Amino acid sequence: VQLQASGGGLVQAGGSLRLSCAASGRTFSGYVMGWFRRTPGKEREFVAAINWSGGSAYYADSVKGRFTISRDSAKLTMYLQMNSLKPEDTAVYYCAAAFGLAYVGDRYPYWGQGTLVTVSS
C-alpha cells in the first residue's frame, strides 16, 4: 500500500485548504482511511477517518463542523476539506490506512508522507 499526501500550504486564519491522499497498491474495501496531524512538542492527533466502503465519517471534536473527509473510490483518493482554519490547526498532516476503524495512529499500518499546513493569524 502506498499513500501520497498533498495539498498543504500557507493560509490565513479563516481560510480553506483541501488535502488529498492518493492511494495505490491494493483495493481498499473494508479499510478505513484517516488523517492525523502532528505539531512539534505534541503527540500525533487523530483528525478524521472514513470507511472506504460505506463512506461513514468520523471526526475529532476539534475539527467537527469545519473539516470534511471524503473519498473518490474511482480515483482511489481521499480528501480533507478544511474550512474556517485556525492557527491551532497548524501541523504536519498525514494520511493513513487501517483495516477497521481506529482513532489511534498505532492501529494504522500504512502511512503517507506528511504535508505541512500553516495557518497564520
Side-chain angles (χ1 to χ4, degrees), residues 18-107:
R18 188 177 79 158
L19 305 184
S20 299
C21 178
S24 62
R26 62 161 298 123
T27 60
F28 289 91
S29 176
Y31 272 70
V32 169
M33 296 187 71
W35 289 97
F36 289 78
R37 64 188 182 187
R38 175 171 277 165
T39 303
K42 293 186 178 180
E43 292 187 359
R44 182 172 51 193
E45 177 188 16
F46 170 80
V47 175
I50 187 166
N51 182 298
W52 191 263
S53 298
S56 298
Y58 310 87
Y59 298 95
D61 288 343
S62 59
V63 306
K64 202 171 293 184
R66 300 187 298 122
F67 291 10
T68 303
I69 191 171
S70 62
R71 87 274 189 252
D72 184 327
S73 300
K75 295 181 178 179
L76 286 180
T77 302
M78 174 178 66
Y79 304 98
L80 185 69
Q81 178 66 43
M82 305 185 295
N83 298 328
S84 302
L85 282 161
K86 305 175 181 180
E88 50 263 45
D89 294 318
T90 295
V92 178
Y93 284 71
Y94 299 87
C95 59
F99 195 79
L101 177 62
Y103 296 97
V104 293
D106 291 349
R107 295 284 303 277

